Amino acid sequence: MTNRWGLIGASTIAREWVIGAIRATGGEVLSVMSSSPERAATYASENGIGKAVSNLDTLLADPDIDAVYISTTNELHRDQAIAAARAGKHILCEKPLAMTLEDAHRMRDAARSAGVVLATNHHLRNAASHVAMRAAVATGRIGKPLSARVFHAVYLPPHLQGWRLDNPAAGGGVILDITVHDTDTLRFVLGQDPVEVTAFSQSGGLGKAGLEDAVMGVMRFEDGLIAQFHDGFTTKYAETGFEVHGTEGSLIARNVMTQRPVGTVILRTGEGEQSLPLDGRNLYETGLAAFHAAIAGTGSPSATAEDGIWSLATGLAVVEAALSGRAVTIQTGL
């Protein structure tokens, strides 16, 4: 069965990654919606999409569409996802799912009631590097994990600047853009959930309207493990990485907090160092293959609505911790 898609939002991420992944995993992109008719038409023409619409109801009324990909600004996700669920469309939604936990729960509940799949596009858990790290942790290759470190400070390229740096109402700022990804990747690799966070944020010159463009903090997890994170939009020359340190060894990953299937993972123990084998598959194709399997009833999404709720709850707790200067307990309502 070919899954037929509508795009809600004529976005950069859809153009660069998701349209190709849909097609590579057997899907078809039938329609794109933008609030600007001109942008929708141009985007459709440039990306080989047959229909361009400027109204959500028009896209959702199309009986040929099975699923939608939502990549609009964050404050629009809730209403668009709920409308899609009520129209019987499966939903892959960008992170964060919504601006508040209550809204994210409403989205999940609407999908449940309609019997459709709602997934969060947390692409990093699909990386071969993180899959390998998860397996190493789960099989005890580093003993009991004690600490972790994520460095995900990058430079936001000019073509992605805009609402992320100057629109608080749209959920701008580095925390809801990047720290939510750290949270999901940590949960995926460690196999446990964070319970508390402390953080300091920074406005280093790019963020406007009071928005942070860098953040550092520490999460405490269920069994006492502590995880340090550093996220930024202002860091031009750093590399990304992810480390997990245990009683019997360490996992050292470099250049892995990225959309591209690159990077390395080293396992370091008393016996020396070894590189873990990585298959280099496209992260978004892995995620779309899982989503298509979920639609077919033969699998589950890579990141569920509940995973999206966890990352949102943690991101909101980081925001509160940075503003208040105190440790904040993470509460998901799940």
Side-chain angles (χ1 to χ4, degrees), residues 298-321:
T298 59
S300 300
S302 294
T304 63
E306 286 76 16
D307 292 319
I309 289 170
W310 262 107
S311 63
L312 173 61
T314 305
L316 293 174
V318 172
V319 171
E320 182 182 346

Side-chain angles (χ1 to χ4, degrees), residues 222-247:
E222 291 170 304
D223 70 351
L225 178 145
I226 52 176
Q228 177 193 53
F229 59 93
H230 174 205
D231 302 319
F233 286 151
T234 56
T235 319
K236 292 184 178 180
Y237 306 110
E239 64 178 5
T240 68
F242 189 167
E243 300 174 359
V244 184
H245 305 285
T247 56

